[in-house]
Amino acid sequence: MTAPSTPALTIAGSGSHRIWVRLEPVSHVSSAHPRGGWADAFNAVTLTGADFNGDHDRGLSRFEARVYAPPGFEDSDRDRCMLASFEFHHIVLDHAGGGAMDFTGVLVDALAYPQHVYDRIAAGTLLTEIEEAAGRWPGDIRYQPVPHAELQPFLGWRAKVTVAPLKESHQEG
C-alpha cells in the first residue's frame, strides 16, 4: 500500500505539551478511500507546545488540542490567535504512564495552515506579515486557522493521540 500524500504537519506553540496524532482508517470510511490507495495508518500531526482540553457531555467524550500564537498576537476582538486546533470525539484513555497519556478517538475537525506557514513562523516571520493568517482588516490576524485541506478527507478516521508534558528545556526553545 502507498502512503497518503498528506505530509505530517509539525506545529510549534507556547503551550506545555507535545501531542502526536496518528490516523488509521476505520470500516465506515473505507468505501471513500479504497484500501489499496492508502496506507493503513500514518502520522498526521506533531504539535509541540500545545494545550489540550477534554470533557464529557451527554455521553460524548471530547478532546481538543490547540496551539496558540505567541503572546501578543490577538485578533480584532483581543482574543489570542490560534495556530492550530484539532478536535477528537469518542475519546478513550488507553494507557497512561511516566507523564504520557495514550488516547484513541475519532478525528472530527482539523483547523491548520499549510506546513509552509508554520515554517515561516518558526523562522521568525510575524503573523501580521503572513498572508494566510491575515484577518479582514489591515494589521488584523485571524482568530482561527482555516480547515486544513489535506486532512479534511481523513475526518472520521480513528486517531491514536499521545500527549506528553514538555520538559522545561523544550519550552524555552
Side-chain angles (χ1 to χ4, degrees):
M1 291 185 197
T2 60
S5 61
T6 303
L9 280 171
T10 302
I11 305 167
S14 57
S16 58
H17 291 85
R18 185 180 305 268
I19 299 175
W20 295 272
V21 178
R22 181 172 175 81
L23 296 178
E24 304 173 343
V26 291
S27 59
H28 70 272
V29 296
S30 62
S31 61
H33 297 292
R35 277 227 177 233
W38 299 107
D40 285 332
F42 67 99
N43 295 321
V45 180
T46 299
L47 306 172
T48 301
D51 295 321
F52 70 94
N53 294 302
D55 58 38
H56 190 271
D57 184 33
R58 298 181 198 152
L60 177 67
S61 56
R62 189 180 74 78
F63 172 102
E64 187 173 7
R66 288 183 171 180
V67 177
Y68 286 94
F73 288 99
E74 300 172 339
D75 70 359
S76 57
D77 294 327
R78 302 211 184 274
D79 292 320
R80 190 165 167 199
C81 297
M82 279 189 283
L83 298 181
S85 175
F86 296 88
E87 187 173 346
F88 309 90
H89 285 184
H90 310 293
I91 289 292
V92 175
L93 176 64
D94 296 323
H95 177 265
M101 297 176 286
D102 293 313
F103 297 95
T104 301
V106 176
L107 178 67
V108 297
D109 197 19
L111 303 179
Y113 297 111
Q115 184 64 54
H116 70 87
V117 174
Y118 297 110
D119 295 342
R120 290 187 66 198
I121 293 169
T125 305
L126 295 176
L127 289 178
T128 52
E129 297 175 10
I130 299 174
E131 184 178 337
E132 291 89 345
R136 290 189 259 171
W137 298 279
D140 186 30
I141 306 169
R142 292 172 146 298
Y143 169 65
Q144 289 188 320
V146 296
H148 191 269
E150 291 180 339
L151 286 178
Q152 294 306 299
F154 303 100
L155 298 184
W157 281 39
R158 179 185 300 118
K160 297 288 190 178
V161 182
T162 300
V163 178
L166 280 177
K167 297 183 173 134
E168 288 185 30
S169 62
H170 289 121
Q171 288 181 5
E172 293 167 3

